[in-house]
Amino acid sequence: MFVPSILLKQLYTHGSLTKTEDGLSFMLKNRLKDASLKELKWIALDGEKISDDKITLQVGSDTLLSVDELNRAGETPFDLKQIITVHLKLDEQASPEKRKIGISFVASPFGKLKFEVEDNITTPKSRGGHIPRDNFDDYGEKIIKTRQQYFEQQSGGKVDHVGKYSIDPQALKGNIEHFIGVAQVPMGIAGPINIDGEYAKGEFTVPLATTEGTLVASYNRGMKLLNMSGGVKATVVDDAMQRAPVFVFPDARGARDFAKWVQENIETIRGEAEATSSVAKLTYVDTYLSNKFAFLRFNYRTGDAAGQNMVGRATFAACGWILDHYEGIENFYLESNFATDKKASQINIMRTRGKRVTAEATIKREHLLSVMRVDPKQIDYHGRVAGVGSFLSGVNNTGLHSPNGITAMFIATGQDVANVSESSAAMMYSELTEEGDLYLSITIPSLIVATYGGGTGIGTQRECLELLGCYGRDKVYKFAEIVASVVLAGEISLASAISSSDWVSSHEEYGRNR
């Protein structure tokens, strides 16, 4: 199995080359896929191979193997994210000068592998990072308690509520480092809301985690109004997740020629990217040229996962193949800031990042008057006035507060909350029908959600997704339609409150204005 050199070097944990009492040590971490070590060929320092009897590998908390023991075992598990610490009996001094570390080994399913990296020797004290951790069981009760005590000593306070949790810390690997406990956020429910989606059909009661007074009540009021007029129609219209590397050339012609070569070899590049995942599918690659730079925007489908890590890994593998097969590249960065990960941007509004989803409804005039005490004409006129304010401010959202509902749902269901920065973009549209009713529609162009992977499988988060019928595979479009429908309920509720001047009085009664 071909492994690009740039990807292979990621097995080495940079900054881990450390002087110990017995010599040196460094760490290897499997960042590829589940594997097994079959044979260690050699390890070298500055080109000089180290004698096997000076090498020991720590493959578990209580398991040390010599090179001979490792090779005679035939297969030693080296699972994804597993750490192996290599101990070398060498008398070397700490120094800021870079040293070359080479390693050659045989692993299944990859075959014979070899790479060389550079790192400098440090001492444990100079490396900093004194927070207690255990390389082999960092989610065990003992190390968690040790970190809690460390935090108390450092802060002079007491870990009480934070240390009370119902989840299994061992299930948090890949979700949190230096775990000490949980942050509890109050949760309420709103609804039910009636949704006519292609994936979400029927009534849904929605969990909202927030500390903002009036938020749950406001969304609940909006849902009631929408239900009276037949509910919400929701539609997912696009799906894409990106990673955007940049390649640097001596001049603009080099960048131009490279862009042409990429398109000519797109099928091979697609194969290298998709080989890293059973889920990620590379749909297309956009090329943007500027100065002597070639920006490539890799676009993927990522199934029910949000997919940022997935597409990062896939793109890294594809770029590794490119770097090994195209001459003339002066420099390369896996992310150029063109995917605008965790940042709002115009390109993602236009081209989609995550799910592009629209929720729409026609609200009867009599229902607006009876529930919200506002005429459709008032809301429509206010929307046009607010459109001018949106233009003047340069905001990425012509609606009122869609991130409120999105954030509350994200916290409740284990989404990556920082994705609200991109998911905050929205285009609100309204019009009066010939009957005098109000048609209302909102499009969220970059809603980044998941129903599988990430934080969705943790305790309360998984529970909330299950209560919505949205946990697991083939559920992400359903969840996206529910989120968009909830957003629409919040928009009509707040729009009505502002148009009828109820906004401040509601906060006085239910919120923080005391």
Side-chain angles (χ1 to χ4, degrees):
M1 179 184 294
F2 172 74
V3 181
S5 57
I6 193 171
L7 191 61
L8 187 56
K9 291 179 181 180
Q10 295 301 304
L11 291 172
Y12 179 80
T13 300
H14 284 271
S16 67
L17 185 58
T18 307
K19 181 174 176 57
T20 66
E21 291 182 0
D22 299 321
L24 300 177
S25 71
F26 64 84
M27 289 190 294
L28 302 174
K29 183 175 182 178
N30 186 348
R31 296 175 173 91
L32 300 174
K33 60 189 298 185
D34 286 344
S36 61
L37 295 177
K38 299 174 74 70
E39 181 183 1
L40 177 63
K41 293 287 189 180
W42 49 261
I43 295 176
L45 183 65
D46 295 332
E48 294 290 331
K49 292 183 180 179
I50 301 168
S51 175
D52 286 353
D53 61 1
K54 294 183 178 180
I55 302 172
T56 306
L57 295 95
Q58 187 171 358
V59 297
S61 58
D62 299 313
T63 306
L64 289 168
L65 297 177
S66 67
V67 175
D68 183 59
E69 288 172 331
L70 177 77
N71 292 346
R72 282 193 288 107
E75 290 197 0
T76 299
F78 190 23
D79 298 333
L80 183 65
K81 297 182 182 179
Q82 181 181 339
I83 293 173
I84 290 178
T85 302
V86 179
H87 298 280
L88 307 174
K89 291 182 179 179
L90 296 176
D91 186 15
E92 299 286 340
Q93 299 303 311
S95 169
E97 298 299 322
K98 296 290 186 181
R99 308 293 294 272
K100 290 183 179 180
I101 302 166
I103 182 169
S104 176
F105 59 98
V106 179
S108 176
F110 304 107
K112 185 177 180 180
L113 300 173
K114 180 175 67 175
F115 66 87
E116 185 177 75
V117 295
E118 290 187 342
D119 204 356
N120 66 297
I121 302 172
T122 61
T123 61
K125 183 178 292 186
S126 66
R127 288 175 60 195
H130 300 299
I131 295 175
R133 68 184 313 275
D134 185 326
N135 285 338
F136 298 98
D137 186 15
D138 206 38
Y139 298 86
E141 182 179 345
K142 182 178 179 181
I143 190 64
I144 293 170
K145 186 65 176 177
T146 300
R147 274 196 295 267
Q148 290 173 347
Q149 292 170 347
Y150 168 84
F151 191 22
E152 290 174 340
Q153 291 167 1
Q154 292 292 311
S155 64
K158 181 69 176 174
V159 173
D160 184 11
H161 295 285
V162 168
K164 297 173 182 176
Y165 46 85
S166 59
I167 54 179
D168 178 7
Q170 295 293 342
L172 299 177
K173 296 175 182 177
N175 291 115
I176 185 73
E177 299 77 40
H178 301 159
F179 175 77
I180 64 164
V182 298
Q184 300 180 69
V185 181
M187 190 182 303
I189 55 174
I193 182 171
N194 187 13
I195 302 174
D196 176 21
E198 293 178 296
Y199 303 89
K201 293 182 178 293
E203 292 188 338
F204 299 89
T205 299
V206 180
L208 298 169
T210 182
T211 57
E212 181 180 346
T214 77
L215 187 144
V216 175
S218 177
Y219 278 82
N220 194 65
R221 185 174 77 149
M223 292 175 188
K224 174 184 176 182
L225 175 65
L226 292 172
N227 290 344
M228 292 173 68
S229 296
V232 183
K233 179 184 285 188
T235 309
V236 176
V237 297
D238 199 8
D239 183 0
M241 180 50 65
Q242 296 80 24
R243 186 60 61 203
V246 59
F247 294 81
V248 183
F249 293 87
D251 52 35
R253 292 179 188 174
R256 179 199 63 190
D257 295 343
F258 170 74
K260 180 181 179 183
W261 180 87
V262 167
Q263 295 305 323
E264 291 172 349
N265 291 272
I266 190 64
E267 289 305 319
T268 303
I269 292 170
R270 176 177 286 112
E272 294 296 326
E274 294 181 356
T276 64
S277 169
S278 61
V279 176
K281 301 299 177 185
L282 178 61
T283 53
Y284 62 96
V285 177
D286 281 335
T287 303
Y288 299 86
L289 300 177
S290 180
N291 307 91
K292 58 178 183 177
F293 310 130
F295 295 86
L296 303 185
R297 197 166 185 264
F298 284 67
N299 294 264
Y300 296 84
R301 295 288 178 92
T302 59
D304 293 280
Q308 291 102 317
N309 293 334
M310 184 191 301
V311 304
R313 191 173 167 202
T315 305
F316 193 62
C319 290
W321 182 87
I322 290 171
L323 291 167
D324 285 347
H325 290 82
Y326 192 88
E327 295 183 0
I329 298 171
E330 288 191 335
N331 214 333
F332 154 79
Y333 300 97
L334 179 62
E335 180 51 62
S336 63
N337 222 14
F338 203 175
T340 70
D341 199 5
K342 309 292 172 70
K343 297 172 286 293
S345 66
Q346 188 62 30
I347 192 169
N348 288 336
I349 290 175
M350 300 298 293
R351 299 289 282 165
T352 301
R353 181 168 168 85
K355 309 299 182 279
R356 192 180 197 93
V357 57
T358 296
E360 53 194 337
T362 299
I363 306 167
K364 296 292 185 182
R365 179 175 182 271
E366 59 266 29
H367 297 155
L368 271 170
L369 287 170
S370 63
V371 177
M372 303 294 191
R373 299 188 300 281
V374 65
D375 191 278
K377 291 181 179 178
Q378 292 174 265
I379 294 178
D380 182 63
Y381 181 70
H382 172 257
R384 284 183 279 126
V385 173
V388 177
S390 298
F391 172 77
L392 290 173
S393 67
V395 75
N396 70 337
N397 191 324
T398 60
L400 293 171
H401 71 144
S402 61
N404 255 339
I406 292 172
T407 304
M409 288 194 72
F410 273 21
I411 295 172
T413 60
Q415 309 302 309
D416 185 339
V417 183
N419 285 330
V420 173
S421 57
E422 293 154 277
S423 303
S424 66
M427 290 80 79
M428 175 65 75
Y429 173 75
S430 68
E431 68 181 28
L432 295 174
T433 68
E434 292 184 359
E435 294 79 16
D437 301 326
L438 180 70
Y439 169 81
L440 198 64
S441 169
I442 192 163
T443 292
I444 307 172
S446 47
L447 180 65
I448 302 176
V449 290
T451 56
Y452 189 81
T456 62
I458 300 171
T460 60
Q461 291 83 354
R462 174 170 177 168
E463 191 172 291
C464 285
L465 281 172
E466 288 175 337
L467 288 165
L468 285 169
C470 288
Y471 178 73
R473 299 187 185 275
D474 302 322
K475 298 292 179 65
V476 73
Y477 286 175
K478 177 181 180 180
F479 184 62
E481 289 179 344
I482 294 173
V483 173
S485 300
V486 170
V487 164
L488 190 68
E491 291 297 303
I492 187 59
S493 181
L494 182 54
S496 299
I498 294 174
S499 297
S500 65
S501 300
D502 280 348
W503 189 22
V504 174
S505 61
S506 295
H507 275 273
E508 288 288 351
E509 182 176 354
Y510 297 106
R512 302 192 190 123
N513 295 351
R514 300 186 179 93

